[in-house]
Amino acid sequence: MASAWAKDHRASGSQPVDAAEVVITEPALVAERPAVGSGRSWLRFLVGFALVGGVLLGAGAVDATGRWGLVVLAAVLATGVAVEKALHRSTAGDAVRLLGLRRPGGRAMALAAAVSGLVLLVFPLTAALSGAAVVLRPDWAWLLVGILAFHGLAEELVWRGYVFRRLRAGRSFRAGVAWTMPLIAAGHLPILVTQGPAVGLGAMLVAAVTSIPLGYLYETGGRSMWPPALVHTAIDAFKLVLIPAVALSTFSTLIILVNLAVPLLVLAVPRHVLVAAPSTERPRGESS
């Protein structure tokens, strides 16, 4: 696990390129300078983050159940495309792909599916340890669509498709994740306020730690949001079930432990196994 996380190489090249235009499929493929490094580039990045993150957090404050997930996804995607066009000179088509709506690598998708299945074992494990039945909500199918759209795709569009992608360009994987973690943790502060310190701090910790495996799946999946979105959906699948009061304590402990540990298993699969071949694609609009 540690090898995938700790690997930190930089490529040397005779011709400088725009850092944000480099398609990152291997740790070595980083540009000479970070795309977000100068005062002006940080200002553009933070303005964009305030817009796309604000829409996401605002939608979460209005409806945290996921029932309106498709509406949230549409709003976040529209905002993200507008930000890429206005602040980073992307075309609309390039903006959609840059934000992660592209075909994923099959191996990374298969790994994400396997890990998601392991995450979901928290529910039968809770039932076995507590002796109480954990059942699906009556409207679980519609909720699943909403949770995939909201917590899976919309959140991954913001955290991986915008934040991590731009902070990673020109930096090592480790540095890109390290710069992303504080923003992700801060984005979960409303949970601390609305649900108390225990739940809030747990959510912030899970969000920060899972930024490592989700970022890894994003990169090895061809900078597609689909592999991390699948795991992210599994992490938030607790909204699909009814937990009896007698099992709440057991479930609360298990879900934090499972969500912290299980997604990290993706790091056990070497990058070269997941990435079939380095991509040389450089979308026109991905400038600093």
Side-chain angles (χ1 to χ4, degrees), residues 105-117 216-217 220 227 230-231 265-270 274:
R107 297 172 187 176
M109 198 67 187
L111 177 60
V115 169
S116 297
Y216 189 69
L217 286 171
T220 57
L230 189 59
V231 176
L265 293 174
V266 303
L267 303 177
V269 182
L274 298 174

Side-chain angles (χ1 to χ4, degrees), residues 64 189-201 203 238-239:
L189 278 173
I191 300 177
L192 184 69
V193 175
T194 59
Q195 300 189 36
V199 175
L201 291 174
F238 64 89
K239 295 184 178 183

Side-chain angles (χ1 to χ4, degrees), residues 67-162:
R67 288 181 172 83
W68 292 90
L70 291 173
V71 176
V72 174
L73 175 59
V76 171
L77 178 59
T79 305
V81 169
V83 165
E84 291 291 340
K85 290 179 64 178
L87 298 181
H88 305 291
R89 302 188 297 279
S90 298
T91 66
D94 279 342
V96 170
R97 291 186 301 110
L98 293 171
L99 291 167
L101 278 176
R102 61 174 80 193
R103 185 172 63 183
R107 297 172 187 176
M109 198 67 187
L111 177 60
V115 169
S116 297
L118 293 177
V119 169
L120 294 176
L121 290 178
V122 69
F123 302 114
L125 186 58
T126 297
L129 292 178
S130 67
V134 177
V135 298
L136 288 167
R137 293 180 181 273
D139 58 345
W140 69 268
W142 176 245
L143 277 175
L144 178 58
V145 173
I147 291 169
L148 172 62
F150 185 177
H151 297 294
L153 297 173
E155 286 203 40
E156 287 306 309
L157 187 153
V158 174
W159 300 124
R160 251 57 63 180
Y162 185 80

Side-chain angles (χ1 to χ4, degrees), residues 30-50:
V30 294
E32 294 176 354
R33 293 182 304 160
V36 181
S38 66
R40 181 176 296 180
S41 63
W42 269 108
L43 179 61
R44 278 200 300 268
F45 167 77
L46 290 173
V47 169
F49 172 64

Side-chain angles (χ1 to χ4, degrees), residues 12-18 31-32 282:
S12 60
S14 56
Q15 182 65 34
V17 296
D18 188 328
E32 294 176 354
R282 292 183 183 180

